[in-house]
Structures are given as structure tokens and as C-alpha cells.
Amino acid sequence: MTLHRRDLLGLFGAGAAGVAAPAAARPVPSVVFNHGVASGDPRPDGVVIWTRVTPTDPTVRTVRVDWSVWRDGDTAASVASGTVEAGPDRDFTVKVPVSGLQPGVEYRYAFTAGETRSTHGRARTLPEGPTPEVVLAVASCQLYPGGLFNAWDAVSKLERVDAVIHLGDYIYEYGAEADDYGMASGARLGRTPQPAHEIVSLADYRARHAQYKTDPDLQAAHARAPFICVWDDHEVTNDAWTAGAENHTPASEGDYAVRKAAALKAYFEWMPIREPARGLTSEAIYRSFDFGDLASLLMVETRLLARGEQLRYQTDMPVVDGRPDIAAFEARRNDADRDLLGDSQRDWIRSTLDTSRASGKPWQVIGNQVVMARVQGPDITTMASPLQIASLLATLPAAVRDQVQQSIELFKLGVPFNLDSWDGYPAGRERLYAAFAEAGVQPIVLAGDSHAFWVDDLKDAAGARRGVEFGTSAISSPSPGDAVPRLPLGAALMQANEEVVFCDQSAKGFVLLTLTPDQARAELRTVSTIFAKPYEAGVLKAFTVALDANGLGPIVEV
């Protein structure tokens, strides 16, 4: 997909909104700011700021919008300001890459159209030089009908947060039929997706983004701190890969490339993310951020650039004489061509990690969409009696019961828990681990997608330690454990897998990652409910990893 005016962004200083407005005064149409404000992609000298104006007159074609940025606590004088025009070509969104700011400073920003002023937001630029601490909130998977965004309210109330790392599934594509994903709770809560059908066109994706950004809790989180985002699959459609997706049917939904282009155009319009660098395709959103002398954050792309099609047990597990052919399936899974990153992105990861290490930064952090650890499905027949399993199955709805029964039989074979994760691409994972080793680092890997909390000790196929992983649960999307509340699924996964230090498959929330020069601390922050207010915020578990002479020390629960 080609984004309009990409080469003009720096010239006019007004990214996605359009061109700079002429100086001559002219009437400004009446507007409302229904979608809050947001910031993102901070740098030491700047940050992207975003909003969306909604004209009260639907015939209006352009709106002049003024923006201003000032130091926190000093409302008297702006340090940067300007004027842009918003129009239908970018769905009346405004995105400004502000520059000329000071490193490590918290700023405020706001937008004005005529007599109407937006709420203000807060954004901290990246630090330079000695940096004693960085605090990052890590989040993923916010299904609008799945529940209230209480976790975003909790993020907005954090005493300290330098940036929010969003690992994808910012929106979901499903419709509002009674059996659509999340609608069992969405109908009760009055959170019906708009438009009510599965989104396919540019207008559909724009409308869905717009609905999500009307949520007051999400607005509050965006106003609290800059977001650093990547997409996962649902920003386009479920289980997306380079040339297709599980939830895309060409016969009824058209060309996948057209749908993907529409989804990405809406994403760049509605998210506070910088436009793709010149010469790169829209899918190439991998990029890095340096937090002073303390840490480098690499945000990678594992969906649209190089991902091969997912394997599926139903179609890719050969059956010979009525028995699954595990050896044949494993040969397919371990095919050397299976990958998520591609050579160019992996080379960039290796060189960026190497540069970070050479500069003396103690921490390298990988913002990655899907779980990286090797996770075998648990064989619960070794953990419970046939009577206990039968009793468990009897408590489940019929549709869920059939799926759980199939999983029980499948996991007895010793196969991976999730083929959409890195376990579906083991050769690609080994190439990435080799890149870590070549750069001489053991990074902290962040993961989303799974709707579960994970703390993992990452090892390659030879058993060498390659890093640690902190996986965040969902903001509101259903967790696997929700379907089987009587089965301690997280504990079963811990028992079955050496790499899994901790797993919870039911709690909702986010990870709060605090980095200091000698220690990383990950708190698994939770909310007591996503179905009502008020709620209680809590900490499920906390873990630390210290640096020692050999790299990362052990993962320690605190």
C-alpha cells in the first residue's frame, strides 16, 4: 500500500493530517473532539501527537486545527505549535511529528479548532545519557465486546509510566452476531461492535478504530503516556500471514491484498505511529527506541512481512492407518523455510542489538507479538484421573466440551500448545536465537497475543539460554482458562514445560516493566473484573532478573 504524501511529512511538520494550513484567516467549522488525544513513537527531540476532529456538519471537507506543546507545569508558553488541515482523505485524523523538544522531559499537548479545544495529553521524550530508571506498561488484546477496558484505566492512574508498549490486537475485526467473538459478554454490556458486520473495507476499518477510541478508559491511557505500537493479526483479520489469513474468504470478502491495504491505511490514520520510512513498505514497521544509556527497545513485525502460513492440526497432521503421523508432522513444522521475520528484518535485529551492546546499554528489549518460548500442550491425563477429566468435561458447554476433548487427545501426542506462536516456526526461532548470540546479548522478550500471563526462560534447541520472556495477558479478550475454569491450565503448562516459569491463563491486565542499571522487574498487574465498575487493581506476581558477569541472572519471584 502507498500512503499519500509520505515524502512531504518532514517538510510540512504535520504527518497524517495533510498539508500546513495557509496563514490567511478563514472560518473554522464547528467540530467536536470525540476520540481523545494520543501520542506515540517518542524520540529524544520529539514525539508524534494525534487527535481526530469530527465536524458537526457532514458536508464539511476541511478543518483547520491548531496544535501546541508545552512543558509540564508551564502552561503560559508553548515550546512548539502549528496549524494543519484535516479532511476526509485521512478520515479527519490529525497526526503531527513534533520536533525540537528536549530529551527526558514531560510535555503537555492539545489541539484547537475554532473555539473548541481538545483535552490535553502528556508525553515524555526519550532520555539521553545517564538514565537511572525506565518504566514501561506492556499491553495487548483489547476486544471491545469482550469486556470493559478497566486495565486501561489502571494504566492511566500509574504514578510513573514513561511509555506504553502495545503488542497488537488493538482492534478486532469480528461482527455483532450473537455467536461472534466476544458477543456473549458484549450483548450484556451494551458493547456492540460498529459496524455490526465483520470489517473488510476502508470505511469499515475506520469506523471500528473510531469506536474503540470513544472508550473513556482507552482515551485516558493514551492521554497518560506515549504509545509505542505494533499490530498483530486482528488489525487486519485473524491469523494473518503474508498472503492470507484464517479469517479471510476471497469468494465473499474479495482480494486479501486489498483488504490488508485498507486495514493498514486506517491503522496509520488512527494510531500515533510514525509513517513508514522512505523506501520501506507499509508492513515494515519494525523500529527501535533508545532509553538513554539504559536500554534499547526493538519493536518487530511477525505477521505481514515474512510469516509463512500457519500449520493446523486438522489439516497438516497426516493420519496413517488411523493413527496420527507425528514424525511427518514434525518434519513439516521444522521445515527450514518456516519463518516469521525474514532475512532483512533479522539482519536489522542483529545489527541493532550489536550496536546497543557495543554502546554499553545493559538491557535490550524485544517487543514481539507472539509467545516465543517452547510450550508443549499439557497432557492432563497424567495429572488427573479419568473420572476427574470426565467430571470436568461434563461441566462444559457442548461446543467447548468437544474442543477440550480434542485438545486432550492431541496433547497426549507431545505437540505444541499453539501453532500460531513461534512454536509453529521453530527454524525461524533458531535463526533469531543465533542472531541474539552473534550480537552477544540475552534480551528481554515481550509477548502479547495469547490472552495469558507468561514468565519464560528462553532456550535454544541445544539448551543454551537465549533470553527471558514476559508475556502480557489481555486487556479484555477471552483467555483460554475462561473456557475451562475448573482446570488449572496455567499450572498444567508450567508442569509440562521446562521453559515456563509461571503462567496464568485467566487473569486480565498488563505487565509493568521497570528497568534499572542492574535489575529488571516485571509486575503482572491485574484487574479484578472486566464486567463491572468499580474494580480492584492488583499485582498477581512479580519477578526480577538481575545482571551478572555472565549476562542475565536467574528469574526470581519476589
Side-chain angles (χ1 to χ4, degrees):
M1 179 183 71
T2 300
L3 294 175
H4 300 300
R5 295 184 301 280
R6 183 181 304 162
D7 294 343
L8 301 180
L9 300 183
L11 176 63
F12 290 112
V19 300
R26 59 176 182 263
V28 177
S30 175
V31 303
V32 289
F33 290 94
N34 285 335
H35 302 96
V37 299
S39 67
D41 280 13
R43 293 176 176 173
D45 67 342
V47 67
V48 171
I49 60 174
W50 177 96
T51 193
R52 199 255 188 169
V53 293
T54 304
T56 56
D57 179 353
T59 66
V60 167
R61 304 303 296 170
T62 61
V63 177
R64 192 177 66 185
V65 181
D66 298 316
W67 58 269
S68 62
V69 177
W70 62 96
R71 288 184 73 123
D72 189 29
D74 183 9
T75 60
S78 64
V79 298
S81 61
T83 301
V84 296
E85 284 191 348
D89 60 326
R90 300 286 304 202
D91 203 20
F92 289 94
T93 60
V94 175
K95 188 161 65 172
V96 181
V98 181
S99 59
L101 306 182
Q102 297 299 308
V105 172
E106 185 154 291
Y107 291 91
R108 303 277 177 144
Y109 61 94
F111 301 85
T112 304
E115 300 299 316
T116 305
R117 186 171 174 84
S118 72
T119 57
H120 68 256
R122 302 163 64 179
R124 182 183 293 272
T125 51
L126 296 184
E128 285 187 334
T131 302
E133 184 180 68
V134 168
V135 180
L136 305 171
V138 184
S140 181
C141 303
Q142 53 201 55
L143 178 66
Y144 187 84
L148 302 176
F149 290 172
N150 289 339
W152 282 131
D153 180 67
V155 168
S156 75
K157 294 175 179 175
L158 290 171
E159 182 178 347
R160 168 78 183 272
V161 58
D162 298 315
V164 176
I165 312 304
H166 199 294
L167 299 175
D169 293 344
Y170 187 95
I171 64 168
Y172 282 74
E173 78 277 18
Y174 301 108
E177 296 293 331
D179 59 349
D180 277 331
Y181 190 49
M183 278 307 296
S185 54
R188 296 196 310 269
L189 295 170
R191 292 173 70 87
T192 301
Q194 296 296 328
H197 57 264
E198 183 173 322
I199 55 177
V200 176
S201 69
L202 175 59
D204 291 343
Y205 282 101
R206 285 172 164 175
R208 189 63 57 86
H209 274 281
Q211 180 185 36
Y212 273 61
K213 279 197 169 68
T214 62
D215 185 276
D217 295 328
L218 180 55
Q219 286 188 10
H222 272 298
R224 175 65 181 85
F227 275 46
I228 299 174
C229 303
V230 289
W231 53 62
D232 191 26
D233 52 340
H234 291 287
E235 286 87 349
V236 180
T237 189
N238 183 58
D239 283 3
W241 56 287
T242 304
E246 178 275 333
N247 191 30
H248 180 78
T249 306
S252 58
E253 294 173 326
D255 187 335
Y256 174 72
V258 172
R259 181 180 187 176
K260 180 175 71 172
L264 298 195
K265 178 172 172 55
Y267 185 90
F268 279 106
E269 291 171 349
W270 278 87
M271 297 297 290
I273 181 175
R274 296 181 190 273
E275 303 294 296
R278 186 180 303 175
L280 296 179
T281 65
S282 299
E283 294 90 342
I285 59 169
Y286 56 88
R287 60 211 194 280
S288 64
F289 303 83
D290 289 325
F291 291 82
D293 65 352
L294 185 61
S296 295
L297 168 68
L298 287 69
M299 301 294 281
V300 304
E301 203 287 336
T302 64
R303 283 290 174 187
L304 306 179
L305 272 173
R307 178 188 279 257
E309 186 173 5
Q310 295 87 342
L311 295 176
R312 293 178 175 83
Y313 290 119
Q314 300 91 327
T315 56
D316 293 296
M317 176 77 78
V319 177
V320 178
D321 296 331
R323 298 176 62 85
D325 188 339
I326 298 298
F329 174 77
E330 284 297 290
R332 292 182 182 179
R333 188 172 73 93
N334 286 281
D335 187 296
D337 291 335
R338 294 191 59 74
D339 202 2
L340 293 182
L341 297 172
D343 292 339
S344 296
Q345 184 175 192
R346 189 166 41 253
D347 289 344
W348 170 82
I349 291 171
R350 181 174 51 250
S351 64
T352 306
L353 292 175
D354 184 69
T355 299
S356 176
R357 178 196 55 77
S359 71
K361 293 180 179 63
W363 299 105
Q364 291 76 38
V365 182
I366 308 290
N368 145 82
Q369 289 91 330
V370 295
V371 172
M372 192 170 291
R374 289 179 295 168
V375 182
Q376 181 176 304
D379 180 3
I380 69 168
T381 64
T382 66
M383 307 174 190
S385 69
L387 183 60
Q388 289 172 317
I389 294 173
S391 176
L392 165 69
L393 292 171
T395 66
L396 302 176
V400 175
R401 185 186 312 131
D402 291 343
Q403 294 175 17
V404 172
Q405 181 65 65
Q406 292 172 12
S407 296
I408 289 173
E409 295 302 315
L410 186 64
F411 294 152
K412 288 164 62 176
L413 303 175
V415 295
F417 184 60
N418 180 8
L419 293 175
D420 187 53
S421 71
W422 279 92
D423 266 334
Y425 305 81
R429 179 170 54 196
E430 289 301 304
R431 286 190 288 271
L432 178 60
Y433 284 167
F436 292 171
E438 290 168 16
V441 302
Q442 292 178 330
I444 294 173
V445 174
L446 306 176
D449 181 69
S450 70
H451 310 174
F453 282 116
W454 300 85
V455 179
D456 302 318
D457 215 358
L458 301 178
K459 297 178 180 178
D460 65 17
R465 193 183 196 206
R466 293 303 176 203
V468 299
E469 179 171 51
F470 299 119
T472 182
S473 188
I475 295 292
S476 62
S477 302
S479 298
D482 296 341
V484 285
R486 291 184 56 196
L487 174 65
L489 182 56
L493 287 162
M494 292 162 60
Q495 181 177 329
N497 292 281
E498 177 188 357
E499 292 187 25
V500 180
V501 176
F502 178 77
C503 182
D504 183 281
Q505 291 277 328
S506 297
K508 304 296 186 294
F510 60 97
V511 172
L512 191 67
L513 179 66
T514 302
L515 302 175
T516 62
D518 57 1
Q519 180 180 270
R521 177 185 176 95
E523 297 178 3
L524 312 185
R525 295 286 185 110
T526 60
V527 292
S528 58
T529 180
I530 59 171
F531 301 121
K533 289 182 180 294
Y535 67 92
E536 293 183 4
V539 178
L540 178 64
K541 295 275 187 179
F543 297 85
T544 62
V545 178
L547 291 171
D548 60 28
N550 298 316
L552 296 181
I555 299 172
V556 178
E557 183 179 348
V558 295

